[in-house]
Amino acid sequence: SAEKEMRVKQREMFWSVLEGFSQDELARYMRFVTGSSRINKTMTTHSVNFEATPNLIPVAHTCSNGIDIGTY
């Protein structure tokens, strides 16, 4: 479906952007998503949710180590 294709494209773009981040940018991303710029032993993962909401600014959920990203 068109929605599924859009989400696949979103994921690909998201990971492409993260792969291009410097160490400082990655630390800032982690701080935004988790509240900490470093990964500790209790932080095993974080979730990335791609929402169908157009132009939704990224919303971090630091308690659950997650981020919601809208469609662009």
Side-chain angles (χ1 to χ4, degrees), residues 14-67:
F14 174 79
W15 291 113
S16 177
V17 168
L18 277 188
E19 288 172 353
F21 276 10
S22 67
Q23 289 299 309
D24 182 58
E25 290 168 322
L26 285 171
R28 290 173 188 231
Y29 167 78
M30 290 304 295
R31 185 166 196 75
F32 176 71
V33 175
T34 68
S36 175
S37 59
R38 296 181 179 190
I39 298 173
N40 61 43
K41 293 178 184 178
T42 62
M43 189 185 312
T44 57
T45 187
H46 80 283
S47 64
V48 180
N49 300 310
F50 297 97
E51 302 292 329
T53 307
N55 302 316
L56 172 73
I57 62 170
V59 177
H61 303 282
T62 57
C63 290
S64 59
N65 298 331
I67 186 170

